[in-house]
Amino acid sequence: MPRIDTALREIGALDSLAAQDTPVHRLDPRAKLIATMAFVVTAVSFPKREVAELMPLFLFPVALLAVGRVPFGLIGRYLLMASPFAVMVGIFNPLLDREVVAHWGGLAVTGGWLSFLSILLRFALTVGAALTLLACTGYVGVCAGMGRLGAPRALVTQFLLLYRYIFVLADEGARTVRAHALRSDSGRPATVRVWGSMAGHLLLRAHDRGLRVHSAMLARGFDGSIQPLRCLRWAWADTAFLVGSLAFFALVRFGHLSELLGRCALETLH
Amino acid sequence: MSHHIVEAKDLEYSYPDGTPALRGVSFRIEHGESVGLVGANGAGKSTLLLHLNGCLLASKGTVRVGDVPVTQATLPQVRHSVGTIFQDPNDQLFMPTVGEDVAFGPVNMRLPDEEVERRVRESLAAVGAEHLRARPPYRLSGGEKRAAAIAGVLAMEPDILVMDEPSSGLDPRARRNLIALLKGFKHTKIVAAHDLDMIRDLCARTIVLHEGRVAADGPTATVLADRELLAGCGL
């Protein structure tokens, strides 16, 4: 649990990167949100064994990170932290799909390995793009953008409160685990029964806190929806960014950009 | 200025599981008074405070804030004039930044932007927390959180301030600063606390609650000098 605590603090670090002032940060959250969603749709819309065609898509997050002055290492670390999920999803593909579909050098490549690789790439692209959005916009900015794009108010409110209280909950969880560690045999993990009880108490305390927070909100005139936090202004730069990004995605998806690039590279070599 | 008066008459309340919390509480607090509310754990202090802003509604008896009885229909009006400072500032600071949190009440009151801005600026200045405005609440110290929570309540410009254990979890200096700050407020104040020294510093009158009833109500010096009474009430 203390490690979850550290991870959450790091999300806080990601959010402080969002406070920078760069051309990417100045873009309207709505523009970045729509572009990111279109990016994710593009990335997942390729056929399941596609690998090469996905590569040009990396240009999008990489360009945003570079202009937005976000360290690549940080995003890479988060991707690694989340990667076990993607590996779990694709790990059995090489066993299930043994059809040889290509030869790289002397190596026979099966469809399973290609689709596994494709899943990993798509994971890196989509999660990387979401993290990039967060680092260049900030969580609250993303929520404000969602609200203005017509996401249900209740959902946006939930997201905002989640972000506020996940830190409090993690602190409470970390304290519980520490208290348990101090009164248990060193090195022996807690039994399921004890874990269950700790998780149950955490849930009950979270519920109590929820009631108290709600009282505090009501006491200050809360009527069911948090009023718009930030006024967003759409500028020409936002239109240009959005149109440019969408055109790029279309080019990658339908224009076979990677094939074009490959052919150009070969011609230059010849 | 009768609207700064708080009055409870034969107030009774039981929790939904049937546990009685208040068993006939009556008092009247006049305009500008500063009243301490003391009692052992479970004596009903927090429950009573929740009745003053209408977060709980009486099972029997009445609560009046000024000329207005606290009922479902009058809640907006009551909450406008009663500002509540909760025991754990974490419960009260729910917005992403301190500035947005302080603005939460005024924005809900549908005030124009310039007025919201003025109130945020002035409330933060009143608690000496202007520098915290852009900070997220989870990165503040205990004393800073408390100051921000108080600013959030001041921004609604209430007539009456209700506080639940305002000094809990503060270091001695933060506690002294808080007491000095609260002393400077001209509001009608109701302070529930175990910190009897703070009550002595802050409140001219004290109400002692014991098992959901008023056990004593009088000048703080007299009430807190009655050792027998305090011992009998678990203090």
Side-chain angles (χ1 to χ4, degrees), chain A residues 226-244:
Chain A
I226 290 182
Q227 301 304 314
L229 300 166
R230 292 172 188 187
C231 53
L232 305 176
R233 262 188 213 102
W234 190 272
W236 278 109
D238 300 310
T239 313
F241 165 76
L242 188 58
V243 171

Side-chain angles (χ1 to χ4, degrees), chain A residues 6-17 70-85 123-124 127-128 130-132 134-135:
Chain A
T6 325
L8 285 170
R9 297 256 171 265
E10 285 197 9
I11 293 178
L14 196 64
D15 216 24
S16 53
L17 281 172
V70 177
F72 289 93
L74 186 76
I75 303 293
R77 216 168 58 231
Y78 286 128
L79 281 180
L80 272 182
M81 273 193 324
S83 62
F85 295 102
F123 155 77
V127 178
L131 289 169
T132 306
L134 212 54

